[in-house]
Amino acid sequence: MADKKMVEAITSMDEDFAQWYTDVVRKAELIDYTSVKGCMVIKPAGYAIWELIQSQLDSRFKETGVENVYLPMFIPESLLQKEKDHVEGFAPEVAWVTHGGLNPLTERLCVRPTSETLFCDFYKNDIHSYRDLPKVYNQWCSVVRWEKETRPFLRSREFLWQEGHTAHATAEDAQERTIQMLNLYAEFCENVLAIPVIKGQKTDKEKFAGAVATYTIEALMHDGKALQSGTSHNFGDGFAKAFDIQFTDKDNKLKHVHQTSWGMTTRLIGAIIMVHGDNEGLVLPPKVAPVQVNIIPIMQKKEGVLDKAYELRDRLSNFRVKVDDSDKSPGWKFAEAEMRGHCIRVEIGPKDIEANKCVICRRDTREKIEVSLDELESKVAEILDTMQKEMLERARAHREDHTYVAKNMEEFEKLFTEKSGFVKAMWCGDQACEDTIKENLSVTSRCMPFEQEQIADTCVCCGKPAKKMVYWGRAY
Amino acid sequence: MADKKMVEAITSMDEDFAQWYTDVVRKAELIDYTSVKGCMVIKPAGYAIWELIQSQLDSRFKETGVENVYLPMFIPESLLQKEKDHVEGFAPEVAWVTHGGLNPLTERLCVRPTSETLFCDFYKNDIHSYRDLPKVYNQWCSVVRWEKETRPFLRSREFLWQEGHTAHATAEDAQERTIQMLNLYAEFCENVLAIPVIKGQKTDKEKFAGAVATYTIEALMHDGKALQSGTSHNFGDGFAKAFDIQFTDKDNKLKHVHQTSWGMTTRLIGAIIMVHGDNEGLVLPPKVAPVQVNIIPIMQKKEGVLDKAYELRDRLSNFRVKVDDSDKSPGWKFAEAEMRGHCIRVEIGPKDIEANKCVICRRDTREKIEVSLDELESKVAEILDTMQKEMLERARAHREDHTYVAKNMEEFEKLFTEKSGFVKAMWCGDQACEDTIKENLSVTSRCMPFEQEQIADTCVCCGKPAKKMVYWGRAY
């Protein structure tokens, strides 16, 4: 009965996806709410996922020459105001520090919502010659944006992220780094998080405040809504001119640098939940699962069972492994392991020991596999590997099944009324059409994908000649 | 000439230690100042040291069952005020957020100076039964304290640290964890940072705001000043009572938890600089050196030299290794490698290649060693190992040489006038004596060491019967 209660406590995802999400986030003990409105506690099970994301992303960064730094969390108001578009984009949603200790400050400081202005202020003094370029710096930190409505991982007033900020001698170098990082993000999402993404460029309406061009990776959640999962911006020399970041080039001329920035955040954890989760709870790709193997002893009071469980744990020390030796019933342990997204559970009881075998159950398919103890290590490795691959394939199939094509407004409206997912449709390039679509259907342009298709000749909205195929969707 | 200039640019440590420190910090490119008063940029060479500290400390934590979490950076004013001593200790030095976006907040938020109150607020909801205990959580984050005078790494308005916060069923468990973490810190300082420390308890005057007992590790810098390098606090059930953190124990009774906290910060980087540095610049213990081996090709334009340097780099891939193939002169490269604290440099030129050898120069002793290329890997490992050990031994010898004993006030005053270092002296336990000593000599009690000695029977200050031997010193 207790086992059932735990499972029943989650809302079904088909019934109420938003409530299902909140239930999973709480029941899998990923986060907790706090007395600080709009801010959350990331609990051990949630933070461990972030640590696995961090370490695998960071090592990819370093392979491309990224160096980590740390800049202050405060931005003086005058500094924030130096780049016009940037301050307009961010000033309305920052938190302001007005007092230090017992005294009012002579100038307000905002808590960084992003650090372009700080990096510019730093680069201005740090860059003199072409020999100092490129600068390819990144920081792992928290940022604050005073959001009105918040949701765990997806939108909170404070969140964790990495922000890369680079400076280059030429426009070409900056563009190359912008795309390099977008490709790195896409590869990471697919190969580590098992989330397939669409790579493309944001429209001018949707681009970052102060950027020349913003590139994005867009993922499709299980409910058919889109999630922007990472962005990479090319700033051209706009910030460099506003902040006067110049260097002496090989030809002995003073030139402005060209800059980029790129970021990924803890919202990736939200994406993992919404792409892979099911009605039993969290499903985690093995590469970011804090517990890959949960060994659950059956009839653990019988002599030799617990010892065998510990022996198996020691043999599986190449994996993230635990033994659930608590005094709960096996059924309860199974339900809990499923809720928390442990990738595979290994059941081992007296009969298994006698037969020199164990039963392995995969979290994603719930398939049960009998495995001889003689080949435990290799089978576990193989199953985790298969699971990682199949989770990506299933997510890709789901996205394909929920990606539609609309040639005109009638088809477009019908799709967004009856279906949920991505809709590919042509666009004239005019912001008025984006505005109309957003107003009428609450649908936004997700990106102009790198892989363009000629779906029709005319804009889905106004009927004028089309310039680009766009992925449209309702987004988190 | 250029080579000389780089070295000459550092002030000698005997001439002006404070200026030497600032010079090293800047010339080794560890930090930069910013437009944000009292806050610094930690540059790649500085942040890489912090990453090495983090990873080695974090793995030690995890071996003792610590789990990482992340709590908000903001504390509502009402929450900060719940524990009386704590708010008195911290309120005068916090930064206050008063506006979120365009609107004033209904309640001010301070940027965390430390997170006891947030953890208590969290534990209050998260702990119900003895089964939920112990909680052994830690977070890596930045904190803000509105210091008036700041110095790179040693005292800045924002700094990076880890803060562990635990909750236990009994007072004994809390005390055990407090001491366990202090011991872990001491072992880490000695074996990783090559810094010997004195372990002891702070006097009531010097203990943490809200703690029952504060334990500390105290290190001695090269100039004879002390640096508090890590602290571990036992809170008893004071916070638990203020925040109402109760659990149902095995005997079915409601009880308050017992808590601890413990922290180490980026000031450890300041300690490394001031314990090991010399007039050529930074000297880093191999275990936290971002560059352990710097291969410097001699006559690198000669055919085969650069290729050989890259070959050696590939053979040394178990170490943190770089090849300096820039177009600077070897002399300049040597000076730069010394300034930045690269542990060993490997010189390889045409003659060395012909003789199948290279010259290895140790940063700490500047000893030159001819090594056959056949045994390169093992020799490098051996030299780094020896260097790590000898750096600790030298630091220990320096501390012993600068630790004095005073039986009465005359000796005490004479020592603090003529010498600099630790002075061991007896104390009656009365705060008035600490106040007098501080006022007259700018000397504070560093700790009551675990290893007590009976130096005299009477207090060094008032002559009344002594209770404790205390380490006294001038501190950063």
Side-chain angles (χ1 to χ4, degrees), chain A residues 176-436:
Chain A
E176 195 182 307
R177 176 57 72 167
T178 310
I179 300 302
Q180 179 183 20
M181 298 318 288
L182 192 82
N183 285 333
L184 187 156
Y185 284 165
E187 182 275 326
F188 175 81
C189 282
E190 304 209 344
N191 291 333
V192 177
L193 309 184
I195 297 176
V197 294
I198 306 289
K199 293 188 278 189
Q201 186 175 353
K202 287 279 181 193
T203 63
D204 278 353
K205 176 184 164 75
E206 298 288 336
K207 77 180 182 193
F208 182 83
V212 170
T214 289
Y215 301 90
T216 180
I217 49 172
E218 299 283 327
L220 197 70
M221 304 297 102
H222 193 82
D223 65 344
K225 281 172 95 170
L227 189 82
Q228 177 179 304
S229 303
T231 49
S232 187
H233 315 290
N234 185 344
F235 291 126
D237 58 6
F239 275 95
K241 284 181 173 158
F243 283 81
D244 196 25
I245 313 172
Q246 296 193 79
F247 69 101
T248 309
D249 206 350
K250 286 178 187 166
D251 58 12
N252 222 21
K253 286 187 182 148
L254 262 185
K255 295 176 187 171
H256 287 104
V257 299
H258 293 258
Q259 291 173 271
T260 82
S261 82
W262 23 274
M264 274 192 163
T265 80
T266 33
R267 87 187 320 220
L268 287 176
I269 300 174
I272 296 168
I273 299 167
M274 292 195 293
V275 168
H276 301 300
D278 65 21
N279 283 331
E280 273 64 55
L282 201 57
V283 182
L284 293 173
K287 287 189 184 170
V288 289
V291 178
Q292 295 176 312
V293 182
N294 185 354
I295 301 171
I296 299 181
I298 311 294
M299 303 178 71
Q300 65 185 36
K301 283 178 185 157
K302 286 251 173 163
E303 204 189 317
V305 173
L306 270 179
D307 285 344
K308 195 65 172 180
Y310 298 138
E311 183 198 316
L312 300 188
R313 177 193 61 195
D314 295 343
R315 281 176 56 190
L316 293 172
S317 62
N318 277 341
F319 306 95
R320 292 183 287 274
V321 59
K322 66 167 273 183
V323 172
D324 190 347
D325 52 10
S326 65
D327 57 6
K328 300 162 190 163
S329 73
W332 179 275
K333 291 178 186 178
F334 293 174
E336 200 170 60
E338 291 186 341
M339 180 63 74
R340 290 166 189 247
H342 300 164
C343 299
I344 60 179
R345 73 167 185 258
V346 174
E347 304 169 19
I348 182 91
K351 283 182 189 163
D352 301 303
I353 296 171
E354 214 179 285
N356 192 42
K357 66 163 187 69
C358 65
V359 175
I360 288 184
C361 181
R362 251 172 81 169
R363 172 62 186 89
D364 60 333
T365 57
R366 307 181 86 193
E367 179 191 356
K368 285 195 170 200
I369 309 152
E370 266 200 14
V371 170
S372 159
L373 292 185
D374 296 336
E375 46 181 17
L376 181 67
E377 294 90 334
S378 62
K379 274 288 173 191
V380 165
E382 187 188 309
I383 292 168
L384 289 174
D385 198 41
T386 306
M387 182 173 164
Q388 179 82 32
K389 283 194 193 113
E390 291 184 4
M391 284 178 74
L392 174 61
E393 283 164 21
R394 271 198 306 279
R396 201 188 301 279
H398 179 269
R399 188 189 66 189
E400 298 309 321
D401 284 350
H402 293 79
T403 300
Y404 309 96
V405 170
K407 293 188 177 151
N408 52 51
M409 204 55 187
E410 192 184 353
E411 286 176 14
F412 194 80
E413 279 184 359
K414 190 164 149 54
L415 282 167
F416 277 111
T417 313
E418 292 173 8
K419 310 274 188 184
S420 62
F422 283 133
V423 175
K424 298 191 278 191
M426 302 308 290
W427 176 53
C428 61
D430 196 339
Q431 194 182 311
C433 288
E434 277 184 283
D435 291 339
T436 306

Side-chain angles (χ1 to χ4, degrees), chain A residues 145-161:
Chain A
R145 298 178 187 177
W146 219 251
E147 306 280 359
K148 287 195 184 72
E149 294 199 19
T150 60
R151 294 192 67 189
F153 295 120
L154 301 176
R155 198 171 290 278
S156 52
R157 288 190 171 171
E158 181 186 5
F159 59 87
L160 302 181
W161 79 346

Side-chain angles (χ1 to χ4, degrees), chain B residues 21 49-50 53-54 57 153-154 160 162 185 188-189 193 195 197 217 219 221 227-230 263-275:
Chain B
Y21 178 79
I49 300 173
W50 183 239
I53 289 174
Q54 275 194 302
L57 202 47
F153 294 120
L154 301 177
L160 303 180
Q162 60 66 217
Y185 285 165
F188 176 80
C189 282
L193 309 184
I195 297 176
V197 293
I217 49 171
M221 304 298 103
L227 189 83
Q228 177 180 303
S229 303
M264 272 193 165
T265 80
T266 34
R267 87 186 322 219
L268 287 176
I269 299 174
I272 295 169
I273 299 167
M274 291 196 292
V275 168

Side-chain angles (χ1 to χ4, degrees), chain A residues 131-142:
Chain A
R131 287 194 191 85
D132 300 325
L133 297 173
K135 292 282 184 199
V136 187
Y137 289 172
N138 174 67
Q139 72 179 1
W140 293 93
C141 62
S142 77

